Amino acid sequence: MDKLIPDPPFNTTTPNAEALRSEELLKDREAIKRALDYYLDPPKPYAAKPRRPSTMYLVAPDMDTESLLAQACESLASASVLASDFATNLIGPQRNTVLAIQQIIMLAELAVNRALDNVDPQT
């Protein structure tokens, strides 16, 4: 039986088309390498730049440890009271979550109190 449509030729690409295709692949590889280098291996000037913290809220560098611990203890006590008062207005899982947060605050307050006792023992 004769075919109405002939078989396509085996090699339809020209040498010029193959060269263009290999050029595109090379460009793609270069772009991929640049992208990976940018994200996974940042340039040295950016990596070596020291971190400069914001000075909006700054604790004086010459503050003594006892004063810092006393301030932290007062802040934690206030946060504990706020969480406790907030929990009284809630019910169910939300109340349990706020009470858990309040318990974590209380544990932190106990740790700060112990550190404060170690700095200035009340004998």
Side-chain angles (χ1 to χ4, degrees):
M1 176 196 273
D2 290 330
K3 285 182 163 180
L4 295 177
I5 302 172
D7 290 334
F10 290 112
N11 189 3
T12 59
T13 61
T14 63
N16 194 15
E18 287 179 14
L20 289 174
R21 177 71 181 144
S22 64
E23 246 181 67
E24 289 175 6
L25 288 174
L26 186 60
K27 286 180 184 178
D28 287 346
R29 285 188 189 133
E30 289 173 0
I32 290 169
K33 184 179 181 328
R34 280 195 314 272
L36 288 174
D37 286 346
Y38 178 79
Y39 287 108
L40 299 178
D41 187 25
K44 297 304 176 202
Y46 297 116
K49 186 177 179 183
R51 181 182 173 277
R52 185 169 177 246
S54 171
T55 57
M56 184 172 195
Y57 301 106
L58 181 68
V59 176
D62 59 343
M63 289 294 294
D64 61 308
T65 304
E66 184 180 359
S67 298
L68 292 171
L69 287 171
Q71 182 64 38
C73 183
E74 290 174 10
S75 296
L76 287 169
S78 297
S80 178
V81 169
L82 285 170
S84 180
D85 288 348
F86 184 60
T88 59
N89 297 326
L90 298 174
I91 56 171
Q94 290 87 7
R95 184 172 192 273
N96 293 338
T97 302
V98 173
L99 288 175
I101 293 170
Q102 193 244 355
Q103 185 177 16
I104 293 169
I105 293 169
M106 284 176 38
L107 291 172
E109 183 183 2
L110 286 172
V112 170
N113 276 328
R114 178 54 54 109
L116 190 56
D117 287 343
N118 291 343
V119 169
D120 184 28
Q122 304 286 329
T123 37

